[in-house]
Structures are given as C-alpha cells and as structure tokens.
Amino acid sequence: MRKILIDCREQIPCDPCRHACPSGAIIIEGDITNLPETFPEKCTGCGLCVAACPGQACFLVDDAFAEGRASVDFPYEYLPLPEKGMTVSARDNEGSTVCDAVVEDVILRKSAQGTAVVRVSVPKEFAYQVRGMKPLKR
C-alpha cells in the first residue's frame, strides 16, 4: 500500500500538506516553520498531499507494488503530461538519473489546480531515491 514520504528541507511557513491530509498522517508541531512529521501508519495513500505541496516535497511510496518493483507518486507540473506505459528517466533530488521507470498512472484532480500526480514503477531498491522524472527522447 502507498504510504506518505515527505522530503521537506526548508523551514519556511508552509502547511498545505497538513491541511490536505484527511487522515491526520501529517502534523506540524508548534511553529508553522517546523518541518512536517509523518505517521505512515495513518496514511491511506489518497495522494492529496502530493499535489497540495507547493514545494513538491510530498511523495507516496509503495514498496510492495509488484514483484521486485515499487511505485512512487510525485507531483508533475510540466506539459506534455507523460502517458501510461511510457518509459522515463527517474530522477533524484539533484536531478541525477536513478534508473528507468515506467509510468503507471497520471492523476489529475480539479482540486490540484493543474498539478498532476504521476505514479511510476521502479526497481524496489530505488523506491526511496526517486523524486521526479524526465521523459526519455522519443
């Protein structure tokens, strides 16, 4: 099952992820500039936080997606949107290639105001490194 992973590195006044989470899996203790804390056991995998985070720091990871593969959901704000079945280059926080990935789904919600959530599958060992993607040349 998909579970929340937040890779927030900036202590700035921000809490849309907390407000987007209907299950209370994300909290910010004390000052609004504190980094969010996650409770994966409360996460339902809905993904509302992924599109809500303006810093693109919320992700969902399912490390039991398929035999030897994990899925990673991340925000995507570029056009054209990738298509299901595409092979893409999975990237880390620095923009470096981690591995090839397969686009499993592209989720668009009205409430996300143009931010798509892309789900890719990757070899399980890379699940917690992937933070985005770059389409491979066609």
Side-chain angles (χ1 to χ4, degrees):
M1 177 168 189
R2 290 184 299 280
K3 294 295 178 184
I4 183 66
L5 169 69
I6 296 184
D7 193 2
C8 189
R9 298 172 178 214
E10 299 293 326
Q11 290 188 278
I12 58 173
C14 186
D15 66 351
C17 60
R18 178 176 65 94
H19 289 290
C21 182
S23 65
I26 303 169
I27 65 165
I28 298 175
E29 292 281 338
D31 193 332
I32 194 171
T33 61
N34 290 337
L35 294 176
E37 195 175 336
T38 61
F39 296 87
E41 68 280 1
K42 292 183 177 182
C43 180
T44 63
C46 72
L48 294 174
C49 60
V50 177
C53 176
Q56 299 185 333
C58 292
F59 308 89
L60 293 177
V61 175
D62 180 356
D63 51 15
F65 177 73
E67 182 70 33
R69 295 190 69 78
S71 70
V72 182
D73 293 23
F74 50 82
Y76 193 79
E77 296 181 334
Y78 301 98
L79 293 175
L81 290 173
E83 296 174 13
K84 186 175 180 173
M86 271 178 93
T87 298
V88 297
S89 175
R91 303 297 176 106
D92 64 15
N93 273 331
E94 307 303 318
S96 299
T97 299
V98 175
C99 61
D100 282 351
V102 176
V103 175
E104 299 292 341
D105 203 0
V106 177
I107 303 151
L108 292 166
R109 293 186 176 108
K110 278 187 174 184
S111 63
Q113 300 176 355
T115 299
V117 174
V118 174
R119 178 173 302 138
V120 298
S121 64
V122 297
K124 191 181 269 194
E125 63 266 26
F126 299 115
Y128 293 92
Q129 297 171 35
V130 174
R131 298 292 181 265
M133 56 152 273
K134 181 177 181 182
L136 296 175
K137 296 197 188 293
R138 299 179 199 240

